[in-house]
Amino acid sequence: MAGSLNKVLLIGRLGADPEIKQMVNGKSVARLSLATSQSWKDKTTGEKKEKTEWHRIVVFNDGLVNVVQQYLKKGAQIYVEGQITTRKWKDEQSGQDKYSTEIVIQGYNSSLTMLGGGNTGGGGIQNDNTQAPANNFEDSPQASNDMDDEIPF
């Protein structure tokens, strides 16, 4: 193989308010819980089914951490580009090794875009702190409260 690629693209809604922590080196890190859902109609019963996956998102870039802290709240819809990583850590109580799989937003190949809905106003922030154009078509009250969109992803 000539090379490899570790890139994750997700569109979903925040399941909780972002958690902002201070690292030992004094920099801030943001942790997000992102839900992605897909729905379909069961062919045999005609019943609507839905499956939700939860993703841990970790933001290390200081500029993005500030944006996350200031603008993102539970229910906000975001688009994330990052890398998937698995981190090993030791449980202090049991002493056992534990593993966490996370989507890391750090460096130039990562971005976070606010899509609107929830408590956001649209727009996007890239990791180089430039602002992307806002998609304000979702700013209407009806669209921002509509969780039953039929977008398959």
Side-chain angles (χ1 to χ4, degrees):
M1 180 161 77
S4 63
L5 176 68
N6 180 352
K7 184 136 188 125
V8 176
L9 311 173
L10 296 171
I11 296 175
R13 293 194 182 270
L14 296 183
D17 287 345
E19 182 182 330
I20 310 297
K21 298 267 184 167
Q22 292 284 58
M23 295 189 295
V24 178
N25 63 6
K27 294 191 177 210
S28 296
V29 62
R31 294 189 180 167
L32 311 172
S33 180
L34 186 70
T36 56
S37 299
Q38 78 184 98
S39 60
W40 67 94
K41 194 175 274 193
D42 189 303
K43 291 182 180 179
T44 55
T45 65
E47 182 182 350
K48 185 177 179 180
K49 303 266 187 168
E50 185 173 12
K51 180 180 179 187
T52 301
E53 291 286 337
W54 289 94
H55 312 275
R56 297 172 202 222
I57 312 294
V58 183
V59 181
F60 287 106
N61 178 282
D62 282 334
L64 283 180
V65 170
N66 291 337
V67 169
V68 165
Q69 186 174 23
Q70 191 171 2
Y71 295 108
L72 294 183
K73 301 283 183 237
K74 179 180 178 177
Q77 188 177 33
I78 61 171
Y79 168 78
V80 174
E81 286 186 36
Q83 291 186 320
I84 192 164
T85 62
T86 302
R87 174 172 61 84
K88 181 180 174 182
W89 51 283
K90 193 172 282 284
D91 186 351
E92 293 178 6
Q93 292 179 342
S94 68
Q96 292 182 331
D97 288 341
K98 301 274 184 164
Y99 297 89
S100 296
T101 301
E102 303 165 326
I103 311 304
V104 175
I105 301 176
Q106 180 179 32
Y108 294 104
N109 293 330
S110 301
S111 69
L112 182 145
T113 304
M114 298 176 284
L115 297 177
N119 294 327
T120 66
I125 304 294
Q126 308 248 336
N127 225 2
D128 58 0
N129 294 333
T130 59
Q131 181 99 11
N135 293 335
N136 291 325
F137 64 89
E138 290 192 62
D139 285 347
S140 69
Q142 181 182 10
S144 63
N145 292 329
D146 186 14
M147 293 290 281
D148 292 330
D149 53 1
E150 294 294 327
I151 300 172
F153 53 85

